[in-house]
CSV table of all heavy atoms in Angstrom, one decimal:
chain,number,residue,atom,x,y,z
A,203,GLY,N,18.1,7.9,-12.0
A,203,GLY,CA,17.7,8.2,-13.4
A,203,GLY,C,16.9,7.2,-14.1
A,203,GLY,O,16.7,7.3,-15.3
A,204,GLY,N,16.6,6.1,-13.6
A,204,GLY,CA,15.9,5.0,-14.2
A,204,GLY,C,14.9,4.3,-13.1
A,204,GLY,O,14.6,5.0,-12.1
A,205,TYR,N,14.4,3.2,-13.5
A,205,TYR,CA,13.5,2.4,-12.6
A,205,TYR,C,14.2,1.4,-11.8
A,205,TYR,O,15.0,0.7,-12.4
A,205,TYR,CB,12.3,1.9,-13.4
A,205,TYR,CG,11.4,2.9,-13.9
A,205,TYR,CD1,11.5,3.2,-15.3
A,205,TYR,CD2,10.5,3.7,-13.1
A,205,TYR,CE1,10.6,4.3,-15.9
A,205,TYR,CE2,9.8,4.6,-13.7
A,205,TYR,CZ,9.8,4.9,-15.0
A,205,TYR,OH,9.1,5.9,-15.6
A,206,LYS,N,13.9,1.3,-10.5
A,206,LYS,CA,14.4,0.3,-9.6
A,206,LYS,C,13.8,-1.0,-10.0
A,206,LYS,O,12.5,-1.1,-10.0
A,206,LYS,CB,14.2,0.7,-8.2
A,206,LYS,CG,15.0,-0.1,-7.1
A,206,LYS,CD,14.7,0.4,-5.8
A,206,LYS,CE,15.4,-0.4,-4.8
A,206,LYS,NZ,15.1,0.1,-3.4
A,207,LYS,N,14.6,-2.1,-10.2
A,207,LYS,CA,14.1,-3.4,-10.5
A,207,LYS,C,13.3,-4.0,-9.4
A,207,LYS,O,13.8,-4.1,-8.3
A,207,LYS,CB,15.2,-4.3,-11.1
A,207,LYS,CG,14.7,-5.6,-11.6
A,207,LYS,CD,15.9,-6.4,-12.2
A,207,LYS,CE,15.2,-7.7,-12.7
A,207,LYS,NZ,16.2,-8.2,-13.7
A,208,ASN,N,12.1,-4.5,-9.7
A,208,ASN,CA,11.2,-5.1,-8.7
A,208,ASN,C,11.0,-4.3,-7.5
A,208,ASN,O,10.8,-4.8,-6.4
A,208,ASN,CB,11.9,-6.5,-8.2
A,208,ASN,CG,11.9,-7.4,-9.5
A,208,ASN,OD1,11.0,-7.4,-10.2
A,208,ASN,ND2,13.0,-8.2,-9.6
A,209,ALA,N,10.9,-3.0,-7.6
A,209,ALA,CA,10.4,-2.2,-6.6
A,209,ALA,C,9.3,-1.4,-6.9
A,209,ALA,O,9.3,-0.5,-7.9
A,209,ALA,CB,11.6,-1.2,-6.1
A,210,ARG,N,8.2,-1.4,-6.3
A,210,ARG,CA,6.9,-0.7,-6.7
A,210,ARG,C,6.2,-0.2,-5.6
A,210,ARG,O,6.5,-0.5,-4.4
A,210,ARG,CB,6.0,-1.8,-7.3
A,210,ARG,CG,6.6,-2.3,-8.7
A,210,ARG,CD,5.6,-3.5,-9.0
A,210,ARG,NE,6.1,-4.1,-10.3
A,210,ARG,CZ,7.1,-4.9,-10.4
A,210,ARG,NH1,7.8,-5.2,-9.3
A,210,ARG,NH2,7.6,-5.3,-11.4
A,211,ILE,N,5.3,0.8,-5.8
A,211,ILE,CA,4.3,1.3,-4.9
A,211,ILE,C,2.9,0.9,-5.4
A,211,ILE,O,2.6,1.2,-6.6
A,211,ILE,CB,4.4,2.8,-4.7
A,211,ILE,CG1,5.8,3.1,-4.2
A,211,ILE,CG2,3.3,3.3,-3.9
A,211,ILE,CD1,6.0,4.7,-4.0
A,212,SER,N,2.2,0.2,-4.7
A,212,SER,CA,0.8,-0.2,-5.0
A,212,SER,C,-0.1,0.7,-4.3
A,212,SER,O,0.0,1.0,-3.1
A,212,SER,CB,0.5,-1.7,-4.6
A,212,SER,OG,1.3,-2.5,-5.4
A,213,SER,N,-1.2,1.2,-5.0
A,213,SER,CA,-2.1,2.0,-4.4
A,213,SER,C,-3.6,1.7,-4.9
A,213,SER,O,-3.9,1.1,-5.9
A,213,SER,CB,-1.8,3.5,-4.7
A,213,SER,OG,-1.9,3.8,-6.2
A,214,PHE,N,-4.5,2.3,-4.0
A,214,PHE,CA,-6.0,2.1,-4.3
A,214,PHE,C,-6.7,3.3,-3.7
A,214,PHE,O,-6.4,3.7,-2.6
A,214,PHE,CB,-6.5,0.8,-3.6
A,214,PHE,CG,-7.8,0.5,-4.0
A,214,PHE,CD1,-8.1,-0.2,-5.2
A,214,PHE,CD2,-8.9,0.8,-3.2
A,214,PHE,CE1,-9.5,-0.4,-5.6
A,214,PHE,CE2,-10.2,0.5,-3.5
A,214,PHE,CZ,-10.5,0.0,-4.7
A,215,LEU,N,-7.5,3.9,-4.4
A,215,LEU,CA,-8.2,5.1,-4.0
A,215,LEU,C,-9.7,4.6,-3.9
A,215,LEU,O,-10.3,4.1,-4.9
A,215,LEU,CB,-8.1,6.1,-5.2
A,215,LEU,CG,-8.8,7.5,-4.8
A,215,LEU,CD1,-8.1,8.2,-3.6
A,215,LEU,CD2,-8.7,8.4,-6.0
A,216,ALA,N,-10.3,4.9,-2.8
A,216,ALA,CA,-11.7,4.5,-2.5
A,216,ALA,C,-12.5,5.7,-2.0
A,216,ALA,O,-11.9,6.7,-1.4
A,216,ALA,CB,-11.8,3.3,-1.4
A,217,SER,N,-13.8,5.7,-2.2
A,217,SER,CA,-14.6,6.6,-1.8
A,217,SER,C,-15.8,6.0,-1.0
A,217,SER,O,-16.2,4.7,-1.4
A,217,SER,CB,-15.2,7.6,-2.7
A,217,SER,OG,-16.0,6.9,-3.7
A,218,PHE,N,-16.4,6.6,0.0
A,218,PHE,CA,-17.6,5.9,0.7
A,218,PHE,C,-18.4,7.0,1.4
A,218,PHE,O,-17.9,8.1,1.6
A,218,PHE,CB,-17.0,4.9,1.7
A,218,PHE,CG,-16.2,5.4,2.8
A,218,PHE,CD1,-16.7,5.6,4.1
A,218,PHE,CD2,-14.8,5.8,2.7
A,218,PHE,CE1,-16.1,6.2,5.2
A,218,PHE,CE2,-14.1,6.2,3.8
A,218,PHE,CZ,-14.7,6.4,5.0
A,219,PRO,N,-19.6,6.7,1.7
A,219,PRO,CA,-20.4,5.5,1.3
A,219,PRO,C,-20.7,5.5,-0.3
A,219,PRO,O,-20.6,6.7,-0.9
A,219,PRO,CB,-21.7,5.6,2.0
A,219,PRO,CG,-21.9,7.1,2.3
A,219,PRO,CD,-20.5,7.6,2.4
A,220,ALA,N,-20.8,4.3,-0.8
A,220,ALA,CA,-20.9,4.3,-2.3
A,220,ALA,C,-22.1,5.0,-2.9
A,220,ALA,O,-21.9,5.6,-4.1
A,220,ALA,CB,-20.9,2.7,-2.7
A,221,HIS,N,-23.2,5.0,-2.2
A,221,HIS,CA,-24.4,5.6,-2.8
A,221,HIS,C,-24.4,7.1,-2.6
A,221,HIS,O,-25.2,7.8,-3.4
A,221,HIS,CB,-25.6,5.1,-2.1
A,221,HIS,CG,-25.8,5.4,-0.7
A,221,HIS,ND1,-25.0,4.7,0.3
A,221,HIS,CD2,-26.6,6.3,0.1
A,221,HIS,CE1,-25.3,5.2,1.5
A,221,HIS,NE2,-26.2,6.2,1.3
A,222,ALA,N,-23.5,7.8,-1.8
A,222,ALA,CA,-23.5,9.1,-1.6
A,222,ALA,C,-22.1,9.6,-1.0
A,222,ALA,O,-21.9,9.8,0.1
A,222,ALA,CB,-24.6,9.7,-0.7
A,223,PRO,N,-21.1,9.4,-1.9
A,223,PRO,CA,-19.7,9.6,-1.3
A,223,PRO,C,-19.5,10.9,-0.6
A,223,PRO,O,-19.8,12.0,-1.0
A,223,PRO,CB,-18.8,9.6,-2.7
A,223,PRO,CG,-19.6,8.9,-3.6
A,223,PRO,CD,-21.1,9.2,-3.4
A,224,GLN,N,-18.8,10.7,0.6
A,224,GLN,CA,-18.5,11.9,1.4
A,224,GLN,C,-17.1,11.8,1.8
A,224,GLN,O,-16.5,12.8,2.3
A,224,GLN,CB,-19.4,11.9,2.7
A,224,GLN,CG,-20.9,11.9,2.5
A,224,GLN,CD,-21.6,11.9,3.8
A,224,GLN,OE1,-21.1,11.7,4.9
A,224,GLN,NE2,-22.9,12.1,3.7
A,225,TYR,N,-16.4,10.6,1.7
A,225,TYR,CA,-15.0,10.6,2.2
A,225,TYR,C,-14.3,9.8,1.2
A,225,TYR,O,-14.8,9.0,0.4
A,225,TYR,CB,-14.9,9.7,3.4
A,225,TYR,CG,-15.7,10.3,4.7
A,225,TYR,CD1,-17.0,9.8,4.8
A,225,TYR,CD2,-15.2,11.3,5.4
A,225,TYR,CE1,-17.8,10.4,5.9
A,225,TYR,CE2,-15.9,11.9,6.4
A,225,TYR,CZ,-17.2,11.4,6.7
A,225,TYR,OH,-18.0,12.0,7.7
A,226,VAL,N,-12.9,10.2,1.1
A,226,VAL,CA,-12.1,9.5,0.1
A,226,VAL,C,-10.9,8.9,0.9
A,226,VAL,O,-10.4,9.6,1.9
A,226,VAL,CB,-11.4,10.6,-0.9
A,226,VAL,CG1,-10.4,9.9,-1.8
A,226,VAL,CG2,-12.6,11.2,-1.8
A,227,LEU,N,-10.4,7.7,0.6
A,227,LEU,CA,-9.4,7.1,1.2
A,227,LEU,C,-8.3,6.6,0.2
A,227,LEU,O,-8.7,6.0,-0.9
A,227,LEU,CB,-9.9,5.9,2.0
A,227,LEU,CG,-8.8,5.0,2.6
A,227,LEU,CD1,-8.1,5.7,3.8
A,227,LEU,CD2,-9.5,3.7,3.2
A,228,LEU,N,-7.1,7.0,0.4
A,228,LEU,CA,-6.0,6.5,-0.5
A,228,LEU,C,-5.0,5.7,0.3
A,228,LEU,O,-4.6,6.0,1.5
A,228,LEU,CB,-5.2,7.7,-0.9
A,228,LEU,CG,-3.9,7.4,-1.8
A,228,LEU,CD1,-4.2,6.7,-3.0
A,228,LEU,CD2,-3.0,8.7,-2.1
A,229,VAL,N,-5.0,4.4,-0.1
A,229,VAL,CA,-4.0,3.5,0.6
A,229,VAL,C,-2.8,3.2,-0.5
A,229,VAL,O,-3.0,2.9,-1.7
A,229,VAL,CB,-4.7,2.1,0.8
A,229,VAL,CG1,-3.8,1.1,1.3
A,229,VAL,CG2,-5.9,2.4,1.8
A,230,MET,N,-1.6,3.4,0.1
A,230,MET,CA,-0.4,3.2,-0.7
A,230,MET,C,0.5,2.2,0.1
A,230,MET,O,0.7,2.5,1.2
A,230,MET,CB,0.4,4.5,-0.9
A,230,MET,CG,-0.3,5.5,-1.8
A,230,MET,SD,0.5,7.0,-1.9
A,230,MET,CE,1.8,6.5,-3.2
A,231,ILE,N,1.0,1.2,-0.6
A,231,ILE,CA,1.8,0.3,0.1
A,231,ILE,C,3.2,0.2,-0.7
A,231,ILE,O,3.2,0.1,-2.0
A,231,ILE,CB,1.1,-1.2,0.0
A,231,ILE,CG1,-0.2,-1.1,0.6
A,231,ILE,CG2,2.1,-2.2,0.6
A,231,ILE,CD1,-0.9,-2.3,1.1
A,232,ASP,N,4.1,0.5,0.1
A,232,ASP,CA,5.6,0.7,-0.4
A,232,ASP,C,6.2,-0.8,-0.5
A,232,ASP,O,6.3,-1.5,0.5
A,232,ASP,CB,6.3,1.5,0.6
A,232,ASP,CG,7.7,1.9,-0.1
A,232,ASP,OD1,7.8,2.0,-1.2
A,232,ASP,OD2,8.7,2.2,0.8
């Protein structure tokens, strides 16, 4: 019911190629 102290999920969303995106990548680190 609350937030766990010092526990996070870090994420980053990328698309490529930059000049004409065709693919998307999501990286999540627990």
Side-chain angles (χ1 to χ4, degrees):
Y205 292 105
K206 190 174 175 183
K207 188 173 181 161
N208 296 322
R210 295 171 182 78
I211 296 176
S212 294
S213 60
F214 186 80
L215 185 65
S217 62
F218 66 100
H221 65 286
Q224 296 176 355
Y225 301 97
V226 175
L227 172 69
L228 173 63
V229 174
M230 297 179 73
I231 304 198
D232 189 27

